Amino acid sequence: MALSETKRVAHAHSSSIHSTAIESTESRFMVSAGDDFSIKLYDLNSFETTATCTRKISPSASSATPAHNRRISCVEWYPVDNGMFTTSSLDHTLKVWDSGSLAEACVFDLESRVFCHRMSPTGAHALIAVADESAYMRLCDLRTGSFAQSLLAHHSGSMAVAWSPAQSFALVSGGNDGVLSLWDIRRADSHLYSFGCPDNANDCSPHTNEGPVVAHKGSVSSVLFAGDGSRVASIDSSGSLHVWDIECPQAPMASCQLSVAKGCNALAGPTQMALSSATGGRPNYEVLFCPGSGRSIAAVDMAAGQQIASLESHFAPTLCAAWRPSHLELYSSGMDGEIHIWCPPAAEELSEQQRRAREDTWSDSGEENNSIVDT
Amino acid sequence: MSLEALVSELTETGLGTLNALKLRELKNVCKSGNGAHVASVFQTLLKALNKEHAQIRISSLQAINELFRRSHKFRLLAIGELPQILALTFGAYQKPLPRPLSQSAKLKVLATELLYAWVEIYGMAYQRLVFAFRFLRYLERVDFKIAAKTFRRRDPALVKRLRIVGEENKHEYMLRSMIAVRNDYMATRPAIEEALHALNACFGILMPEVADFLGDLCHANASDDDADVEEIMAVMAVNRHAINFDVNPNHPIDTEENSANAAVFDTIRDYLRLCVKRYQPRLELWMTRLARIDSGVDSDLGGLVESIRKLKDRVVDMAPKCADLGVDLSYLSHSNGNFSDESDDEFEAVPLDFHRSHNSGRKQMAIDSKKARRRKAHPVFSLLGEAGLEADPTYTRLGQLHSPVSHTLPASEFDTSNADRHTPVEERLLQTAPVVAFGPDLMYWDQNTINANRSGLEIRHRFLGSAREDPVLSGEAADSLRQRAIYYSDVMSRRGGAQSAEQQEIRACRAPLSSGRLCPRRDLIKCPLHGLVIDRDETGRPQGGFVEAKGEEEEIPNDPDPTALAGNDVIAPRPSTIATAESINDLEWRDVAALISRKHPPPSMSLRAQQPKRQKKAPPGEPSALIDTRKQNSTSLNRLQRVLRKR
């Protein structure tokens, strides 16, 4: 994957982008939102051609007034169709928007800062699982407009949530205490089990009293289900990635430590990973794109659990990635407020101008671009 | 030569430009092996860029730039490491740039220029450059304006083209401006002409033209060229009584505003207001606008300017003419809403007031000041001009305050009365007699019985009884009155030659202060803030001629002045204890201290220090121009700290 030379997204946000989402039905529209409190809607198929023969995608619409009062932490499309999307923000609200008119349809007021929310990709029900700062993870019902359930999830709050694509009742949540839990919302005691091994760090309990089962040392920043729902990937703020098999939660199936560039502090907020679907010809080959504080996006092979590549293009910590299956493109963004497009280099065709600029020029004759500066 | 050595030689010269030969060698290395060595070259250059010296970074950045513009592979490598390069050259991500400080500023400027050029030339083909540019511009807030300007100016043909375009635009703008003014002028001209015509007509009504009086006479004279002089004389002789003009030099135009003329005066006022308030400013505006246009823009410009100027002169002339006629111009300065017709009507009733309104404000004030007889009172000395004050003994005139010496009243009386009684002997003695300023001791010199001052005493006391009548000062008290204390007797004036304290004027320091004033402190010798009190001019700059203090101190004992030293204790010079000491304990430190100086240690201890320091051999070839970053700049703070540390 290489940075696309022929396409780019216009610089629309004035501050960092915390969440982008591409709708799953047509893979045509993208929503991005972040620190500047506004929501921008892009049509990825329509672009204008600039003077340098690159195609520029500008936001086709953006929310008129500030969409939220605080940073928008998560954006998600309605899984069934692209007429609606939801945003949640640190101003304690979750809003449902109509994508045609970019108007608010519904507002849920939760009393704590919301970090993440997800809807079930199966579309069987209209429950939104909300991960916020409180110990309870609430399920909001879109059909009734009120809260359906509360799960006592994590004491210090949770930052990541994912629904299983295979079963409409199973959901995984990752908390600030490093615990990754699987839930079944049909049952009364919903908590099925937690992934991971017991945390034996404290030596003052030498007996069989085991500490809480912990998946990560730090807080879980993102959780993602693999394609068929049998695997879960979770990443925490220090960059350690674990891939779990649902059947055996004791130990991760594969794990890898993503390199963090030296000198960068670990991000302590929620991030969003993206999963590439079956990439041409290799059905089980799934690549996970993990943004991190190291200004790069790590591409990890889910099956082997190894980092394949590091996509470097950002100049500030990356926060979210979105995959576009139809064109096999990755849209990454971060704290610099820019959305970078990644695509396989074979799919690109450089213009004449661009090709000329990429040539070697070894002529020693005097060039007008002589830049030896006399100080 | 190895790659590292080549790169280090290239980058560590400390000069502002790269050595062309070495650069070419580097390029050859890159070209060779079909691009296999590009990666290693890049890594070496990157290591050089990482060095903690601004000049080395400048040179390595220049080398990177050279290769960047040549090789595609190099470009890809550089773009892959862009965050690091930006951190090292721009100071991005809060990484401070290395010393020396002046060079690090140059490094940043160079990096700005180069990156801008890269983005302009290669940005379309390498997207990450554009992202880097945006990052620097919006997040790190780097200013690219100067770099943009330099980039645009690099091509002389482009510069010429831009200049030509600029000039064309300017020409276009000036032409448009002229056309706008002309249209405005054409549109308003009839109105102005109408106003002027109306005003002239009113003038004609009020004040018939002189030509009308002569009338036939003028015509006759003009048409008959051949007429005899005698004929003309005959005609003139007939009209012997001629025509009398009563021309009052003070009021050449004798018109009064009355009920008959009211309409005419109203019209005059209206049109005058129009002229002054509306037309005159507009005409001036057009003139200034046309003045800004160069003469070569259009051929009509000169004619347009002339016609506008003529019109403006005519309009400007109107106001004084109306004033001469007796129109009160004060209504013009009132706000537009107020019509001053009512006030004019008021004046009409009393002709005297009306005439006074002729004068402008300034004349009025002059008349008032002339009428005022009383001189303006002094704000502080209210009795200044009063008569009969000289006789009052408590009264001191202003001039007397500055010269306290001249208590001339009693002395002058004596002098004038005894002037002719001086014998020649006395006169000769008087010439050489020392002059002592008059003081209270001289006043009581010859009085034996001095009355004490009883003003504050209670004469009659309940228990102690009453004081004696006429208390007289005792002998001791009277003697002390006849003494005079001399202060500053041992002070020598720095100007050479001592003066007595009373004669010596205590000078002001007059050093320039930061508030703009001169330092007002007075002292004979020195000011506590500015050192010695020296001669200064009005701006506080020291005038030449003040002598070094040391030199003065040496001179004074050679020049004894009896008047100053009179009554002084001359301190006898103390012999140095080094000469008179019998043992070491008798030595005084102050005599020995000068000999024991830290700069010149006793010879026994300085053998090693006197050996010259072995210098490190400079490497052959050009001496390095690298600024030594370990050497600290000598600022005054550093020097003081060094002295303190040594102690």
Side-chain angles (χ1 to χ4, degrees):
Chain A
M1 301 267 307
L3 200 57
S4 166
E5 300 290 350
T6 51
K7 281 207 268 190
R8 59 186 179 91
V9 182
H11 180 94
H13 281 277
S14 55
S15 182
S16 43
I17 298 178
H18 280 266
S19 178
T20 52
I22 298 182
E23 45 102 14
S24 49
T25 47
E26 279 181 71
S27 296
R28 193 178 154 189
F29 293 101
M30 180 169 81
V31 171
S32 73
D35 257 343
D36 57 352
F37 315 149
S38 71
I39 306 172
K40 304 252 190 278
L41 185 68
Y42 303 81
D43 181 2
L44 298 176
N45 282 344
S46 74
F47 37 75
E48 52 185 54
T49 321
T50 60
T52 54
C53 305
T54 50
R55 289 175 279 180
K56 185 160 105 159
I57 303 171
S58 308
S60 62
S62 71
S63 56
T65 49
H68 281 273
N69 292 334
R70 295 272 183 278
R71 179 212 296 176
I72 302 173
S73 53
C74 191
V75 178
E76 215 211 350
W77 284 95
Y78 186 50
V80 178
D81 65 53
N82 57 6
M84 189 167 77
F85 62 87
T86 50
T87 62
S88 64
S89 149
L90 298 188
D91 65 352
H92 312 279
T93 59
L94 182 124
K95 292 192 184 175
V96 183
W97 299 79
D98 171 43
S99 51
S101 59
L102 217 61
E104 270 178 45
C106 183
V107 178
F108 289 95
D109 186 20
L110 309 111
E111 279 92 23
S112 61
R113 304 195 297 180
V114 182
F115 289 120
C116 187
H117 71 272
R118 289 276 176 248
M119 289 186 68
S120 174
T122 56
H125 54 79
L127 292 175
I128 311 177
V130 178
D132 54 9
E133 225 177 7
S134 68
Y136 286 91
M137 198 163 65
R138 302 165 90 161
L139 300 179
C140 312
D141 194 346
L142 268 184
R143 289 197 199 119
T144 60
S146 62
F147 303 105
Q149 247 183 319
S150 282
L151 310 171
L152 179 61
H154 309 275
H155 279 289
S156 44
S158 47
M159 278 211 285
V161 159
W163 288 89
S164 165
Q167 296 151 315
S168 60
F169 48 83
L171 104 96
V172 168
S173 74
N176 284 345
D177 44 8
V179 176
L180 197 66
S181 306
L182 180 69
W183 306 81
D184 182 343
I185 56 172
R186 299 169 302 184
R187 294 161 55 135
D189 57 336
S190 341
H191 180 247
L192 290 184
Y193 44 79
S194 295
F195 291 92
C197 43
D199 178 22
N200 286 325
N202 42 351
D203 296 306
C204 55
S205 58
H207 301 289
T208 51
N209 251 354
E210 287 174 349
V213 178
V214 150
H216 284 278
K217 290 236 167 48
S219 57
V220 179
S221 51
S222 184
V223 171
L224 204 59
F225 260 93
D228 54 359
S230 61
R231 284 174 298 175
V232 178
S234 69
I235 186 171
D236 76 342
S237 47
S238 67
S240 66
L241 171 76
H242 294 299
V243 181
W244 310 82
D245 191 332
I246 289 200
E247 305 300 321
C248 36
Q250 282 79 26
M253 216 172 73
S255 57
C256 104
Q257 174 69 36
L258 301 175
S259 52
V260 179
K262 48 181 184 201
C264 295
N265 300 325
L267 264 190
T271 55
Q272 271 143 36
M273 296 192 284
L275 189 64
S276 78
S277 46
T279 49
R282 291 191 279 179
N284 279 334
Y285 184 64
E286 281 172 337
V287 180
L288 193 63
F289 296 100
C290 318
S293 60
R295 299 195 289 253
S296 66
I297 301 208
V300 177
D301 179 8
M302 278 273 274
Q306 276 173 8
Q307 183 172 2
I308 313 171
S310 166
L311 306 177
E312 308 242 359
S313 75
H314 282 277
F315 291 93
T318 46
L319 289 172
C320 50
W323 176 254
R324 193 179 178 202
S326 56
H327 291 68
L328 301 177
E329 282 167 357
L330 179 74
Y331 291 77
S332 66
S333 59
M335 298 196 76
D336 50 2
E338 306 236 4
I339 303 179
H340 294 190
I341 308 179
W342 298 82
C343 57
E348 298 215 294
E349 238 190 66
L350 296 175
S351 73
E352 183 54 47
Q353 226 176 343
Q354 286 173 316
R355 233 169 296 183
R356 232 181 308 132
R358 289 169 88 104
E359 280 173 358
D360 288 353
T361 50
W362 285 110
S363 64
D364 268 353
S365 55
E367 294 190 347
E368 67 267 24
N369 296 337
N370 211 359
S371 69
I372 295 181
V373 174
D374 243 354
T375 47
Chain B
M1 205 195 301
S2 80
L3 188 60
E4 280 90 14
L6 174 65
V7 165
S8 67
E9 265 189 33
L10 187 64
T11 55
E12 282 169 19
T13 53
L15 301 168
T17 57
L18 295 177
N19 187 334
L21 286 168
K22 301 213 179 93
L23 187 62
R24 198 181 297 164
E25 252 188 77
L26 197 64
K27 283 192 215 168
N28 289 336
V29 170
C30 287
K31 273 196 269 190
S32 71
N34 208 11
H37 304 298
V38 176
S40 48
V41 169
F42 175 71
Q43 287 302 323
T44 335
L45 278 174
L46 201 62
K47 260 190 237 150
L49 198 67
N50 264 296
K51 294 249 168 80
E52 286 292 319
H53 195 291
Q55 281 175 315
I56 301 181
R57 283 200 194 176
I58 288 178
S59 306
S60 18
L61 183 62
Q62 286 168 339
I64 289 176
N65 174 51
E66 284 297 316
L67 294 177
F68 193 90
R69 292 180 190 249
R70 308 300 167 121
S71 157
H72 171 62
K73 276 210 187 106
F74 195 89
R75 281 195 280 267
L76 288 177
L77 287 167
I79 287 171
E81 289 291 331
L82 258 186
Q84 191 186 20
I85 293 178
L86 295 184
L88 291 172
T89 52
F90 281 92
Y93 307 115
Q94 272 110 40
K95 292 259 161 65
L97 291 180
R99 292 164 67 205
L101 283 175
S102 57
Q103 303 297 320
S104 67
K106 282 187 191 153
L107 172 66
K108 190 153 179 197
V109 166
L110 177 69
T112 319
E113 276 180 31
L114 290 181
L115 190 86
Y116 189 84
W118 290 352
V119 169
E120 284 278 339
I121 301 174
Y122 299 104
M124 69 186 97
Y126 302 93
Q127 195 70 332
R128 204 176 185 198
L129 282 174
V130 181
F131 293 140
F133 178 74
R134 279 202 212 141
F135 163 71
L136 285 173
R137 190 151 167 226
Y138 295 118
L139 287 177
E140 295 278 332
R141 303 255 173 233
V142 174
D143 187 14
F144 281 101
K145 278 187 249 168
I146 301 174
K149 225 195 236 179
T150 334
F151 183 75
R152 269 182 218 117
R153 296 242 176 97
R154 77 198 190 289
D155 184 12
L158 188 72
V159 170
K160 216 185 287 183
R161 252 190 298 135
L162 284 175
R163 199 162 32 94
I164 291 171
V165 168
E167 276 173 15
E168 278 174 27
N169 284 345
K170 195 170 153 193
H171 192 272
E172 179 74 34
Y173 172 76
M174 286 200 285
L175 192 66
R176 256 191 256 154
S177 165
M178 195 191 94
I179 292 172
V181 168
R182 181 163 53 194
N183 291 343
D184 245 347
Y185 168 66
M186 289 301 175
T188 332
R189 190 173 166 177
I192 303 180
E193 294 277 353
E194 184 212 321
L196 291 172
H197 180 74
L199 280 171
N200 281 327
C202 293
F203 293 157
I205 295 173
L206 286 176
M207 184 189 69
E209 290 282 332
V210 176
D212 295 343
F213 285 130
L214 294 174
D216 299 325
L217 203 59
C218 292
H219 283 303
N221 281 346
S223 52
D224 262 339
D225 300 322
D226 307 332
D228 258 346
V229 179
E230 287 161 1
E231 223 180 85
I232 295 167
M233 293 295 282
V235 168
M236 284 179 74
V238 165
N239 298 344
R240 195 167 284 279
H241 52 279
I243 304 152
N244 289 327
F245 283 122
D246 288 324
V247 181
N248 190 346
N250 289 337
H251 290 291
I253 304 152
D254 193 14
T255 48
E256 266 186 41
E257 185 173 347
N258 50 30
S259 53
N261 282 340
V264 182
F265 270 88
D266 278 343
T267 337
I268 290 185
R269 271 193 287 267
D270 287 341
Y271 277 113
L272 183 64
R273 179 198 274 116
L274 258 184
C275 282
V276 169
K277 294 247 159 157
R278 202 181 300 172
Y279 297 141
Q280 203 168 317
R282 280 172 85 170
L283 285 162
E284 276 167 16
L285 181 71
W286 292 335
M287 289 294 290
T288 48
R289 281 226 189 111
L290 289 178
R292 281 193 217 133
I293 301 177
D294 294 342
S295 53
V297 169
D298 198 287
S299 50
D300 287 341
L301 187 68
L304 188 65
V305 169
E306 267 312 303
S307 43
I308 291 185
R309 187 181 299 138
K310 277 193 200 140
L311 197 61
K312 184 179 146 208
D313 290 339
R314 284 164 68 191
V315 168
V316 164
D317 279 339
M318 281 299 150
K321 278 191 194 167
C322 293
D324 288 338
L325 272 178
V327 176
D328 186 8
L329 295 178
S330 63
Y331 76 99
L332 287 173
S333 51
H334 292 165
S335 62
N336 283 339
N338 300 350
F339 267 55
S340 47
D341 282 338
E342 301 85 32
S343 54
D344 278 339
D345 283 335
E346 280 172 8
F347 288 155
E348 208 175 314
V350 183
L352 216 61
D353 291 327
F354 182 70
H355 279 300
R356 186 185 274 190
S357 68
H358 275 263
N359 301 328
S360 64
R362 260 183 252 142
K363 280 191 212 166
Q364 198 71 20
M365 272 176 63
I367 292 168
D368 280 341
S369 63
K370 272 187 206 150
K371 285 181 188 164
R373 299 270 173 215
R374 241 176 355 108
R375 203 176 299 150
K376 216 170 167 199
H378 197 277
V380 176
F381 305 106
S382 48
L383 296 178
L384 198 51
E386 296 250 333
L389 278 182
E390 275 79 2
D392 189 356
T394 60
Y395 174 69
T396 319
R397 236 175 282 125
L398 265 183
Q400 284 176 356
L401 287 173
H402 286 301
S403 49
V405 185
S406 56
H407 276 291
T408 50
L409 225 55
S412 57
E413 274 179 11
F414 289 132
D415 271 350
T416 47
S417 55
N418 296 341
D420 43 356
R421 290 184 207 167
H422 279 160
T423 60
V425 177
E426 277 183 347
E427 279 183 358
R428 239 187 299 125
L429 285 173
L430 274 174
Q431 277 167 12
T432 54
V435 177
V436 176
F438 190 82
D441 59 332
L442 289 180
M443 204 156 79
Y444 296 112
W445 192 259
D446 52 347
Q447 295 181 19
N448 290 326
T449 52
I450 306 165
N451 288 335
N453 185 5
R454 297 190 303 178
S455 56
L457 295 172
E458 271 196 22
I459 308 293
R460 280 181 275 277
H461 194 266
R462 286 166 79 186
F463 308 113
L464 300 179
S466 56
R468 271 183 308 158
E469 302 296 328
D470 294 328
V472 176
L473 248 67
S474 66
E476 286 168 13
D479 283 339
S480 69
L481 265 185
R482 286 185 210 112
Q483 283 173 351
R484 173 190 291 221
I486 302 174
Y487 304 106
Y488 297 113
S489 58
D490 55 344
V491 164
M492 304 297 174
S493 165
R494 295 289 166 166
R495 288 194 205 151
Q499 297 164 10
S500 66
E502 289 88 350
Q503 285 172 359
Q504 208 172 22
E505 177 201 325
I506 304 174
R507 290 187 291 161
C509 170
R510 288 176 50 152
L513 292 179
S514 60
S515 64
R517 295 173 54 223
L518 300 174
C519 176
R521 288 180 181 81
R522 290 179 175 276
D523 198 275
L524 287 169
I525 309 166
K526 66 177 180 118
C527 169
L529 298 183
H530 302 115
L532 289 178
V533 174
I534 48 179
D535 294 331
R536 293 175 190 268
D537 63 0
E538 274 84 41
T539 56
R541 256 180 270 137
Q543 306 286 66
F546 58 92
V547 191
E548 282 295 318
K550 271 193 192 164
E552 273 294 299
E553 275 167 7
E554 283 165 16
E555 268 180 39
I556 284 163
N558 299 334
D559 182 23
D561 204 340
T563 52
L565 289 175
N568 264 359
D569 286 332
V570 180
I571 303 168
R574 180 184 59 84
S576 163
T577 46
I578 296 174
T580 58
E582 287 168 7
S583 68
I584 292 182
N585 297 335
D586 296 342
L587 283 173
E588 292 276 310
W589 170 245
R590 52 180 172 234
D591 297 325
V592 182
L595 296 175
I596 302 177
S597 162
R598 290 174 207 267
K599 272 192 195 170
H600 305 283
S604 59
M605 296 212 298
S606 68
L607 266 175
R608 229 174 124 198
Q610 277 169 13
Q611 270 174 15
K613 249 186 165 171
R614 257 188 238 120
Q615 297 271 336
K616 278 195 205 158
K617 264 206 162 164
E622 283 174 31
S624 171
L626 278 186
I627 300 172
D628 187 5
T629 48
R630 274 169 288 179
K631 203 195 287 189
Q632 275 189 325
N633 285 345
S634 80
T635 64
S636 57
L637 193 65
N638 280 349
R639 291 194 288 266
L640 286 170
Q641 281 174 346
R642 250 180 264 149
V643 171
L644 289 172
R645 259 185 262 126
K646 276 189 197 164
R647 286 211 192 152

